[in-house]
């Protein structure tokens, strides 16, 4: 059964690419691995820093980003325990393998003059908390063992959010799925399902393309810099 096995990259909007890259490379020690014009998006560019070989934090610069006001409690939570608008990034937690790694990274962050709170023992993980540029709320966490749903799925909260016993069982043991080798066709656009907010005419045109046409016409696989391997 095919499953997503991690986060390949998380994309964060920025109006100051340099500040974000300096923070993530110097303060957190993540390696810059990509900085290039975004495919098919005029005036926009991407920056990627590496957490692991298949896990990155990406920053997206668009010229209009600087015109959008950051408002704590709406666009940004500002702390790990405050609200923000549904669908926005409340905070992001990065993983380290051990408590020693957690403390070592706390030392690195503090050595750059950044205030860090923690570790705090949450039972299922231990965490430290700090801020990043442009009001990012950041966490680094470590879990000694995988999270056990038998201990950490609270029946009171399950009932509060309206999950019945059948639904809970399905969530804890998702139904297996047998791949069709990529053969399932694109379904019609259904407005009751989540949709990207492209211009409707453009969106209809994109989703009407065959998978082969998407691959052939929208892909741009060549890197911007050529070098001898």
């Amino acid at each position: 059964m095919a499953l997503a096995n991690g986060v390949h990259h998380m994309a964060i909007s920025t109006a100051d690419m340099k500040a974000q890259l300096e923070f993530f490379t110097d303060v957190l020690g993540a390696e810059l691995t990509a900085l290039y014009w975004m495919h098919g998006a005029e005036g926009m560019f991407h920056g990627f820093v590496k957490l692991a070989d298949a896990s990155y934090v990406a920053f997206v610069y668009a010229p209009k980003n600087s015109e959008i006001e950051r408002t704590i409690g709406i666009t940004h939570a500002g702390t790990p325990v405050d609200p923000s608008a549904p669908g926005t990034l409340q905070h992001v937690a990065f993983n380290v393998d051990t408590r020693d790694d957690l403390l070592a990274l706390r030392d690195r962050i503090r050595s750059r003059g950044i205030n860090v709170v923690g570790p705090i023992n949450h039972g299922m993980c231990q965490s430290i908390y700090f801020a990043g540029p442009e009001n990012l709320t950041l966490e680094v966490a470590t879990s000694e063992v995988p999270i056990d749903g038998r201990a950490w799925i609270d029946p009171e909260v399950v009932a509060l959010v309206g999950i019945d016993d059948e639904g809970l069982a399905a969530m804890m043991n998702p139904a297996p799925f047998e791949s069709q080798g990529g053969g399932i066709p694109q379904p019609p656009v259904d407005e009751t399902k989540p949709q990207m907010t492209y211009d409707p005419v453009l969106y209809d045109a994109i989703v009407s393309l065959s998978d082969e046409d998407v691959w052939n016409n929208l892909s741009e696989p060549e890197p911007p810099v050529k070098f001898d391997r």
Side-chain angles (χ1 to χ4, degrees):
M1 178 174 66
L3 285 174
N5 61 6
V7 177
H8 182 275
H9 71 274
M10 174 186 62
I12 298 173
S13 286
T14 183
D16 192 339
M17 180 68 76
K18 182 182 178 183
Q20 291 290 2
L21 296 181
E22 286 179 340
F23 183 90
F24 274 77
T25 56
D26 181 53
V27 176
L28 291 177
E31 176 186 347
L32 176 66
T33 56
L35 184 58
Y36 65 97
W37 294 107
M38 287 182 66
H39 302 149
E42 185 176 356
M44 298 177 66
F45 49 83
H46 254 156
F48 280 69
V49 296
K50 184 173 77 172
L51 303 178
D53 284 344
S55 184
Y56 304 82
V57 179
F59 297 97
V60 178
Y61 173 85
K64 290 186 177 181
N65 282 358
S66 61
E67 301 173 12
I68 302 170
E69 184 178 357
R70 298 194 305 277
T71 305
I72 303 301
I74 299 178
T75 64
H76 292 63
T79 81
V81 292
D82 282 315
S84 62
T88 61
L89 180 69
Q90 204 279 344
H91 74 275
V92 58
F94 303 117
N95 180 72
V96 292
D97 290 335
T98 67
R99 179 182 170 87
D100 286 344
D101 292 336
L102 189 68
L103 295 177
L105 189 51
R106 186 184 69 179
D107 281 346
R108 180 182 183 120
I109 297 166
R110 286 180 172 172
S111 76
R112 268 55 176 185
I114 304 297
N115 297 111
V116 183
V117 176
I120 297 173
N121 186 355
H122 296 298
M124 67 177 187
C125 69
Q126 298 179 31
S127 301
I128 60 175
Y129 298 91
F130 55 103
E134 299 176 310
N135 298 112
L136 284 177
T137 301
L138 302 174
E139 174 185 355
V140 180
T142 186
S143 297
E144 293 183 357
V145 296
I147 299 170
D148 189 337
R150 294 171 298 179
W152 290 100
I153 297 177
D154 186 337
E156 181 180 359
V157 180
V158 170
L160 180 66
V161 299
I163 301 172
D164 59 21
D165 290 344
E166 183 179 0
L168 180 62
M171 291 178 183
M172 294 183 69
N173 297 282
F177 178 78
E178 185 173 346
S179 172
Q180 306 299 305
I184 294 181
Q186 179 82 275
V189 173
D190 180 349
E191 295 299 335
T192 67
K193 306 288 188 181
Q195 302 290 345
M196 292 183 282
T197 55
Y198 283 99
D199 172 85
V201 175
L202 175 61
Y203 190 53
D204 285 342
I206 292 172
V207 298
S208 296
L209 293 172
S210 69
D211 296 325
E212 183 178 9
D213 283 341
V214 168
W215 177 266
N216 290 334
N217 297 320
L218 302 185
S219 297
E220 293 189 36
E222 293 301 319
V225 180
K226 310 299 183 186
F227 65 98
D228 294 329
R229 296 184 182 275

